[in-house]
Amino acid sequence: MPDKNNEDDVNAERMLEAALGGMTPHQALIQASLAESADSEARAAATAKNRERALKLLAAIEKSMA
């Protein structure tokens, strides 16, 4: 009779390999880090664009009140 714990370990290892898509854990961490950096850059760009729009709107409001 196979050892239940060993079978669970083998199944967990297979699921981990499938989730990594053939990458090593190190490669998966690097890929996740790069994706997070790209997301941070996109958020920073969106923040800058929103700030620019807000300043333009504020200027238009101030001009209309003068």
Side-chain angles (χ1 to χ4, degrees):
M1 182 168 159
D3 182 14
K4 178 70 172 152
N5 288 335
N6 188 34
E7 186 178 323
D8 289 343
D9 289 344
V10 169
N11 286 337
E13 187 67 29
R14 286 182 183 157
M15 288 188 288
L16 180 60
E17 287 176 11
L20 292 174
M23 294 185 290
T24 66
H26 181 73
Q27 290 170 324
L29 287 172
I30 290 172
Q31 184 178 17
S33 178
L34 291 174
E36 186 177 326
S37 293
D39 188 44
S40 294
E41 291 172 7
R43 280 185 275 140
T47 300
K49 190 171 186 176
N50 286 341
R51 178 175 167 74
E52 181 181 330
R53 288 179 179 166
L55 290 172
K56 286 180 182 178
L57 179 60
L58 182 59
I61 291 170
E62 288 176 346
K63 184 178 179 183
S64 71
M65 294 179 77

